[in-house]
Amino acid sequence: MHERAAEFTERARDRYDVEIDVLEFDAGTETAAAAADAVGCATAAIASTIVVSLSGAGDSSGSGDTLVAAITSGANRLDLDAVADHFDASAASMADPGRIRDTVGWSIGGVPPLCHDAALPTVFDPTLTAYETVYGAAGTPSTVFAIDPETLAALADATVVDLTE
């Protein structure tokens, strides 16, 4: 197992007392479509974690913005204006990859919905709740893990709200 995927499973065990079974693929799973093809599930059952930067939301870090996470169905497109409205921010944009790595601890393409270095306010796409099992990134662009969507939302301390286009 990839070192970062092993780190993810260890963090999940330590933080949430859950055992994660990581699926690793030779072909990348960095997009929802690629992950769905690899797993053999609907693209909508892929739980993509998108880190968003909010402007005007009152961040105290001195960076001028706040990071939030959105766990969305791979079949949906995140509506950044809806994210800004939900968090009472003036604007929302995709977060800078370097800042994601520095703050969240994972690189884009493999950002898991759990086990971040910093706690981020998180929203959860209700489309995912239609599935018995969803698949999230497990810390690398070629690993995923299966989980019940309600359990995932609870572990991520996520608010279930539709912020998709």
Side-chain angles (χ1 to χ4, degrees), residues 138-161:
T140 78
S142 61
T143 57
V144 297
F145 71 102
I147 190 167
D148 169 84
E150 287 81 13
T151 300
L152 177 57
L155 293 176
D157 194 24
T159 301
V160 178
V161 59

Side-chain angles (χ1 to χ4, degrees), residues 61-138:
S61 71
S63 66
D65 61 3
T66 301
L67 295 182
V68 299
I71 303 169
T72 63
S73 165
N76 293 336
R77 186 171 173 88
L78 187 63
D79 182 338
L80 293 172
D81 291 335
V83 174
D85 289 346
H86 178 77
F87 287 102
D88 198 26
S90 57
S93 61
M94 302 300 279
D96 174 74
R99 183 149 183 240
I100 292 170
R101 175 70 176 103
D102 291 346
T103 303
V104 179
W106 307 98
S107 297
I108 59 171
V111 176
L114 308 167
C115 303
H116 302 156
D117 287 351
L120 300 180
T122 303
V123 293
F124 191 88
D125 183 347
T127 301
L128 294 167
T129 63
Y131 294 89
E132 287 184 29
T133 302
V134 297
Y135 297 86

Side-chain angles (χ1 to χ4, degrees), residues 41-60:
C41 70
T43 303
I46 300 300
S48 299
T49 304
I50 302 167
V51 181
V52 176
S53 178
L54 301 176
S55 300
D59 180 38
S60 60

